[in-house]
Amino acid sequence: MITTTSMENVQIIIQARMTSTRLPGKVLLPLCNSTVLQVMLDRLAEFKEHIIIATTNDGSEAPIVELCKEQKIKYYQGSTEDVLSRYYEAAAQYGAIDDTTIVRLTSDCPLIDPLLTRQVIEKHQRSQFDVVNLGPHSGYPRGLDCTAFSYQLLKKTHQLATSKADREHVTLGMAKFSSIATFSFAEGESLEHWRLTLDEPDDYSAIKAIYAHFGNSLDFSYPELKKQLKEKPALTDINKHVNQKSV
């Protein structure tokens, strides 16, 4: 278990915007008598005091800001396209220091698992790895993605990255400017074909169907989810044709 002391120097930064090109406003679509973003926040309720919503400053973000104010969630408004600067500035705004563990999440993951997120945080804080990943490239379904790294590494990448791709994708340039050791959690089997992320309308249909299968309860673990998806393949068939947007 993570102690209170070890969590004191952790920021969980969730990037969220209203201007998604494939599914505009997706983070506030209705889900479980709530919204996609609220469901994600509820799934991560144990980490509430450490969460920062990194949203945009292009004028479209008002509903996200309003949700943060209502739920007393910290938030920061920054560049729409330069997500790297948005992360760096959000972390700095809320007092990050060099050894602060920054956890990167994206707001299109309403099936995020708090126990897996906890594992990533623990591993980063208790090991010498510069970056700790949990994502689809190690067998996990897309939509549980979680990455932890230090504020010092984030700051250096922000200072040196110049390409559009490196500015848009927070962790992409980290290995280009620093010699880093990376640890990736392995699922143990190949489940990358399951899409638990929200990019297109059929993803939304699949996520709604999965939650309906659980009676719109938010209280289930990744092992429980995996068991049900294996038993009910029709749920993951809904969006299996959707292609992930390439970097």
Side-chain angles (χ1 to χ4, degrees), residues 55-237:
T55 190
T56 61
N57 59 7
D58 56 19
S60 67
E61 73 282 354
I64 294 174
V65 170
E66 186 62 29
L67 183 151
C68 291
K69 289 178 177 178
E70 289 175 357
Q71 299 297 317
K72 295 180 170 56
I73 299 288
K74 294 187 285 288
Y75 67 93
Y76 177 80
Q77 294 162 265
S79 171
T80 302
E81 302 301 331
D82 187 350
V83 188
L84 179 58
S85 73
R86 203 193 316 165
Y87 264 79
Y88 167 73
E89 292 164 4
Q93 173 79 19
Y94 289 99
I97 57 177
D98 280 355
D99 66 348
T100 298
T101 293
I102 306 296
V103 182
R104 181 189 181 220
L105 300 178
T106 60
S107 56
D108 50 8
C109 297
L111 287 158
I112 192 76
D113 186 85
L115 294 179
L116 295 181
T117 301
R118 181 182 289 276
Q119 286 179 19
V120 171
I121 297 170
E122 279 188 323
K123 187 70 175 181
H124 186 259
Q125 294 203 319
R126 296 181 177 181
S127 71
Q128 298 301 308
F129 290 103
D130 301 291
V131 177
V132 177
N133 278 316
L134 187 149
H137 301 299
S138 297
Y140 282 96
R142 189 172 298 277
L144 305 173
D145 308 36
C146 180
T147 306
F149 43 86
S150 70
Y151 174 69
Q152 184 177 35
L153 181 58
L154 174 65
K155 178 168 61 175
K156 183 176 181 180
T157 307
H158 167 67
Q159 290 170 341
L160 297 177
T162 57
S163 76
K164 181 179 178 181
D166 289 346
R167 305 301 310 183
E168 182 180 354
H169 303 280
V170 177
T171 59
L172 191 63
M174 287 182 171
K176 297 179 183 179
F177 311 111
S178 305
S179 178
I180 63 174
T182 300
F183 177 89
S184 294
F185 281 94
E187 212 290 339
E189 57 183 308
S190 179
L191 299 175
E192 297 101 325
H193 55 290
W194 287 354
R195 285 185 56 83
L196 306 181
T197 188
L198 178 59
D199 283 324
E200 296 194 0
D202 284 342
D203 294 329
Y204 182 44
S205 297
I207 289 169
K208 286 192 296 182
I210 290 168
Y211 269 111
H213 180 72
F214 281 95
N216 284 334
S217 168
L218 310 187
D219 186 22
F220 56 86
S221 67
Y222 172 64
E224 292 169 325
L225 174 61
K226 182 166 69 169
K227 179 177 184 292
Q228 290 302 311
L229 295 183
K230 286 184 173 182
E231 292 178 359
K232 304 287 185 180
L235 292 171
T236 53
D237 284 347

